[in-house]
Amino acid sequence: MGSSVVLATAGYDHTIRFWEATSGICYRTLQYADSQVNKLEITADKTLIAAAGNPHIRLYEVNSSNPQPIISYDGHSSNVTAVGFQKDGKWMYTGSEDGTVKIWDLRAPGCQREYESRAAVNSVVLHPNQGELISGDQHGNIRVWDLTANACSCELVPEVGTAVRSLTVAMDGSLVVAANNSGTCYVWRAMRGSYLTTHFEPLHKLRAHQGYVLKCMLSPDVRQLATTSSDKTVKLWNLDGFTLDRTLAGHQRWVWDCVFSVDAAYLVTASSDCTARLWDLSTGDAIRIYSGHHKACTTCALNDSAIEGRDDG
């Protein structure tokens, strides 16, 4: 991992914790009094971290001793389940159980755009082209929101009525994966069509876990897919044939979240067992355990990119 690493975790104990990735020492704790924290995301330039709660989003400074958020976003009416940033940090997107996907200009107050999914939104990802948001909801719908046309350009329903729990899009835009509550991952090849809209060509259906798949994440080098589950494990799948590379076992409860290091050599995971773990993917060993949360740790965020301004997913 690079020298300038930002690693943070959060969850149900109303705290956000920053960690020294290699030593495992927690060097800063922020209080998030309003609610649990559902999701964290760090800006590409490593200056800000967004914490999504219920129903607010708070933005904190990363390199600061200021315990207060610098901005609060109050437009959702229920749990905020997804948060992310445009690559240059100009705007932020969120998804919520209130059924909406929202876009917030970081240089102006309020919500600039809203898309209606008509069911609780569980996951939202930004296509690397920066022009499309992809959302997955509780009813099993996946929708592509074309930000130029300001409309839904595509709709997929892999399993009617089975909640889409997590979405991930490859850094090169070549693949999209959706994980659902039945333990299945659907993989599509993302094709660029006319008018620069994405078309989805079904590629593979992966029976990943017996339990829920809570998070799926494509590696930055687009060679592996990580899936985390209610079965307490994390699995790494080889995208060349969708074979199982290895199973990461060690968490004692549900594994809610994961994030790759930028070189795809390490994975950080967050679990209901109150810990986060750093895994060496060459061996499958947990080389560091981050202990300090008093309740379920449900989200982890990592930015170890060496290039300022690089989009680190």
Side-chain angles (χ1 to χ4, degrees):
M1 285 195 179
S3 54
S4 169
V5 177
V6 183
L7 171 61
T9 60
Y12 275 76
D13 66 0
H14 295 244
T15 67
I16 301 162
R17 292 178 178 267
F18 290 84
W19 306 88
E20 290 178 5
T22 49
S23 71
I25 294 169
C26 176
Y27 64 88
R28 184 184 179 204
T29 303
L30 296 172
Q31 301 299 320
Y32 193 95
D34 305 277
S35 71
Q36 80 281 359
V37 179
N38 300 313
K39 278 285 180 272
L40 294 172
E41 189 67 45
I42 302 160
T43 54
D45 65 6
K46 305 180 187 176
T47 60
L48 300 171
I49 186 167
N54 184 6
H56 316 283
I57 307 103
R58 309 268 192 247
L59 219 53
Y60 297 87
E61 292 169 313
V62 169
N63 303 303
S64 167
S65 57
N66 179 11
Q68 300 302 320
I70 56 165
I71 315 173
S72 294
Y73 297 91
D74 309 317
H76 285 295
S77 59
S78 187
N79 259 319
V80 182
T81 53
V83 63
F85 294 98
Q86 183 260 357
K87 66 177 180 181
D88 299 322
K90 290 188 175 71
W91 46 267
M92 176 176 74
Y93 61 89
T94 56
S96 168
E97 290 176 0
D98 66 13
T100 66
V101 174
K102 294 180 190 287
I103 293 179
W104 316 77
D105 189 323
L106 296 188
R107 300 155 301 180
C111 168
Q112 274 63 47
R113 290 195 193 181
E114 179 176 301
Y115 300 108
E116 186 63 58
S117 190
R118 301 189 296 279
V121 174
N122 293 326
S123 184
V124 184
V125 289
L126 175 62
H127 192 285
N129 65 20
Q130 307 295 301
E132 294 169 310
L133 288 172
I134 307 169
S135 66
D137 71 27
Q138 194 66 18
H139 289 175
N141 304 299
I142 297 165
R143 293 191 175 90
V144 180
W145 307 97
D146 183 324
L147 304 183
T148 305
N150 206 22
C152 179
S153 61
C154 178
E155 200 166 310
L156 297 164
V157 190
E159 274 182 50
V160 177
T162 303
V164 174
R165 180 59 52 198
S166 179
L167 293 165
T168 178
V169 58
M171 272 192 164
D172 62 3
S174 61
L175 297 173
V176 175
V177 182
N180 72 17
N181 268 3
S182 68
T184 305
C185 290
Y186 289 86
V187 186
W188 292 272
R189 190 174 278 117
M191 314 292 282
R192 305 302 289 163
S194 56
Y195 308 110
L196 294 177
T197 54
T198 299
H199 295 275
F200 293 81
E201 184 181 284
L203 185 62
H204 194 75
K205 180 181 177 180
L206 180 68
R207 291 286 304 148
H209 295 267
Q210 292 297 312
Y212 301 142
V213 179
L214 300 171
K215 175 82 171 189
C216 61
M217 178 65 78
L218 287 160
S219 63
D221 59 6
V222 200
R223 290 182 176 177
Q224 286 187 310
L225 172 71
T227 57
T228 80
S229 174
S230 58
D231 68 11
K232 308 175 189 175
T233 70
V234 181
K235 292 184 180 180
L236 287 157
W237 305 88
N238 192 316
L239 292 177
D240 184 15
F242 297 95
T243 53
L244 180 64
D245 275 348
R246 63 172 76 248
T247 300
L248 308 179
H251 278 300
Q252 302 302 305
R253 294 193 177 176
W254 291 22
V255 187
W256 285 98
D257 200 6
C258 68
V259 58
F260 281 94
S261 61
V262 74
D263 62 2
Y266 301 94
L267 190 77
V268 177
T269 56
S271 167
S272 294
D273 67 12
C274 306
T275 71
R277 292 176 186 236
L278 174 67
W279 306 85
D280 181 337
L281 298 184
S282 65
T283 63
D285 295 331
I287 56 174
R288 191 67 64 232
I289 297 177
Y290 306 102
S291 300
H293 286 289
H294 306 302
K295 291 184 179 178
C297 180
T298 53
T299 180
C300 50
L302 172 70
N303 184 340
D304 65 327
S305 173
I307 308 159
E308 286 303 316
R310 173 163 178 181
D311 180 23
D312 204 345

